[in-house]
Amino acid sequence: MDRRTLLKLSGLSLVGATAGCLEGEEEEGTTAATTTAESGGGGGEETTTATEESGGSGSSYTIGMVDSLTGSLAPYGERNTRGRELGLAAVNEVGIGSEGASLNISVEDDESTNQGGVNGAQKLVNQDGVPLLIGSVGSGVSIAIHDSVTNDAGVVQISQNSTSPELTTRPELLRMSPSGAAKGQALAGLVSDDGHDTVAVTWINNDYGTGLSDVFAETFESELGGTVAYNEPHDQGQSSYSGILTEMASTDASAWIFLTYANEYTVMVNEGFDQGYNTSVDYYGAESTVADSIIENTPAGSMDGMKGITESAPQDQENYQNFVAAFEENYDATPTVWSAYAYDAVTVAALAIEAADEFTGEALSSVVRDVTRPEGEEVFNFEEAAAVLRDGGSPSDINYQGVSGPVDLDENGDPPGYYQIYNVEDHEYVFGDYITS
């Protein structure tokens, strides 16, 4: 990654961005600004350093990350990898502290399961001794890591992608992506505005699916006067969901709501196409039914007309445009907001290290919210924020404006929400109006 690209990420040049395209999941990522090696077993990338090392300009800090490199959530994990790499490169171009220490990230694979996430987090916290951990994609995985590992250990945890409203009940579990509560309400409104008064909902049987489906059903029935004729879970990783689809078809629902992941939705779309359901009802979904792998592994016309609500980024914001330009230059693809969340998670972690008195979970926890709050001076990249801190500013003197939008972590560890309506036309995702919470 050359200096010109890194300067873009530091906000020193402005280049236009093309919105509305998805990252090509088949693209290979590049490694930026840290030396990594593939580890055996269920692990992902592992750095050679696990704690702060002394030695002037040679010093470094290592934090952990639990990400979905395999399993149902792997398409989203790949997007995180790219955002993580760009964020790490931008931080290390500046360096942390007066000595310009480097930041390393040790990555473990959660295999898209709660237990895999706990195993990876235990290695990072108990063996490698990291005081801050980024992770994960799945809400259930992030909650399992918090409840079983980071909370008792006093380790700061920042989820890059988890959206379940359940995370709000754990104030020490921070996240870059907004709660799904506002998204569930917006999705219910979209379905109702399209003229549907009876719907069938199927949701993946974990914290993500439970939280989102509860908000959707409550809003659709209690606030909008609709009827949820079917509201049942499905298990992750099944080879067929024909039984679920048959039960949904037995209702008089005119709209089907899929609150699930990419792999599961792909199976459902293919089976629904075989049975002709796609022509008799309207499909709706949320952010996890947006993935290149879905388009690539389903036949043309199998979900045309589908609509949904997904998280988005402020595409007219300069630092987001700089992020997009650097992403396109390095990966020959346009990012989704999920890569931007991963980028922001790395940046917020680095700012906490820059601002804290020492490299411990307790010290990092005491400043990590402050560097994002609206009371401080708006800064749009790590370099600007570090300059304020090094000039005598306190953590509360800066307000990091992420490439994904304002972070502004509240008392529950939640950022504000920024959403976009999408639909499927000619077997491609098309993005339209914005909604803010």
Side-chain angles (χ1 to χ4, degrees):
M1 188 171 298
D2 60 27
R3 183 175 177 82
R4 178 164 60 91
T5 298
L6 292 169
L7 290 177
K8 288 178 183 177
L9 285 170
S10 297
L12 301 180
S13 66
L14 172 61
V15 228
T18 302
C21 299
L22 293 176
E23 300 166 36
E25 293 164 6
E26 74 284 355
E27 298 286 345
E28 292 294 326
T30 59
T31 302
T34 186
T35 302
T36 61
E38 290 300 317
S39 62
E45 300 168 1
E46 185 176 14
T47 60
T48 57
T49 308
T51 58
E52 179 185 359
E53 297 177 347
S54 59
S57 61
S59 65
S60 65
Y61 298 90
T62 294
I63 61 175
M65 182 183 229
V66 176
D67 208 356
S68 300
L69 307 179
T70 59
S72 296
L73 299 173
Y76 315 113
E78 182 174 353
R79 301 184 300 203
N80 291 338
T81 297
R82 296 169 173 183
R84 180 188 82 231
E85 289 170 348
L86 291 178
L88 195 59
V91 168
N92 285 336
E93 174 70 5
V94 177
I96 297 176
S98 59
E99 301 295 333
S102 62
L103 178 65
N104 299 321
I105 301 178
S106 183
V107 183
E108 291 293 322
D109 181 15
D110 63 28
E111 301 173 347
S112 301
T113 66
N114 291 3
Q115 188 58 55
V118 170
N119 292 343
Q122 286 175 334
K123 177 184 182 301
L124 292 168
V125 172
N126 299 333
Q127 297 182 33
D128 299 348
V130 300
L132 186 148
L133 184 149
I134 298 173
S136 181
V137 177
S139 297
V141 181
S142 289
I143 290 172
I145 291 172
H146 171 272
D147 292 353
S148 299
V149 184
T150 59
N151 190 43
D152 290 341
V155 171
V156 176
Q157 182 181 347
I158 305 173
S159 168
Q160 66 270 46
N161 289 171
S162 299
T163 62
S164 171
E166 185 65 21
L167 270 71
T168 301
T169 67
R170 294 163 171 82
E172 297 309 314
L173 176 45
L174 314 177
R175 55 174 156 190
M176 294 295 102
S177 55
S179 168
K183 178 174 56 187
Q185 293 167 352
L187 181 58
L190 176 65
V191 175
S192 178
D193 288 346
D194 284 347
H196 299 287
D197 55 16
T198 304
V199 303
V201 182
T202 184
W203 42 277
I204 196 156
N205 195 12
N206 60 21
D207 289 303
Y208 166 76
T210 301
L212 188 54
S213 63
D214 285 349
V215 172
F216 175 89
E218 174 67 19
T219 304
F220 193 76
E221 291 189 323
S222 299
E223 298 183 20
L224 301 174
T227 299
V228 179
Y230 181 88
N231 190 12
E232 296 295 333
H234 56 267
D235 291 330
Q236 188 174 341
Q238 301 298 300
S239 60
S240 173
Y241 295 98
S242 60
I244 294 286
L245 299 182
T246 298
E247 291 174 357
M248 295 173 76
S250 68
T251 71
D252 57 353
S254 59
W256 290 4
I257 320 301
F258 298 93
L259 306 177
T260 189
Y261 297 149
N263 289 358
E264 288 72 17
Y265 182 60
T266 299
V267 174
M268 293 178 185
V269 169
N270 286 324
E271 292 183 331
F273 182 72
D274 290 341
Q275 297 299 317
Y277 296 142
N278 61 302
T279 61
S280 59
V281 297
D282 292 335
Y283 289 178
Y284 290 85
E287 83 290 346
S288 292
T289 50
V290 179
D292 284 356
S293 62
I294 298 173
I295 298 294
E296 294 164 359
N297 294 293
T298 55
S302 57
M303 56 176 177
D304 283 355
M306 178 193 183
K307 290 184 178 181
I309 302 287
T310 184
E311 287 76 0
S312 186
Q315 298 182 11
D316 58 348
Q317 190 166 287
E318 182 176 341
N319 65 338
Y320 177 71
Q321 294 177 358
N322 294 339
F323 168 72
V324 171
F327 194 101
E328 290 177 337
E329 182 171 336
N330 280 275
Y331 304 114
D332 194 28
T334 300
T336 65
V337 70
W338 304 98
S339 292
Y341 292 140
Y343 181 99
D344 284 339
V346 172
T347 306
V348 170
L351 288 176
I353 298 171
E354 178 80 33
D357 294 333
E358 57 184 1
F359 190 53
T360 65
E362 182 179 3
L364 295 172
S365 178
S366 70
V367 300
V368 67
R369 277 181 171 84
D370 290 342
V371 299
T372 73
R373 297 296 299 151
E375 294 78 16
E377 175 187 344
E378 288 190 353
V379 290
F380 293 87
N381 52 66
F382 178 78
E383 184 175 32
E384 291 178 0
V388 174
L389 292 170
R390 294 172 193 178
D391 194 36
S394 68
S396 58
D397 289 329
I398 60 174
N399 173 19
Y400 174 61
Q401 301 290 298
V403 298
S404 65
V407 179
D408 294 348
L409 295 175
D410 65 15
E411 66 276 9
N412 297 316
D414 292 337
Y418 199 80
Y419 304 100
Q420 192 171 20
I421 297 173
Y422 72 88
N423 65 297
V424 179
E425 297 178 5
D426 298 326
H427 211 56
E428 293 183 354
Y429 296 106
V430 179
F431 297 86
D433 293 338
Y434 292 99
I435 300 172
T436 56
S437 64

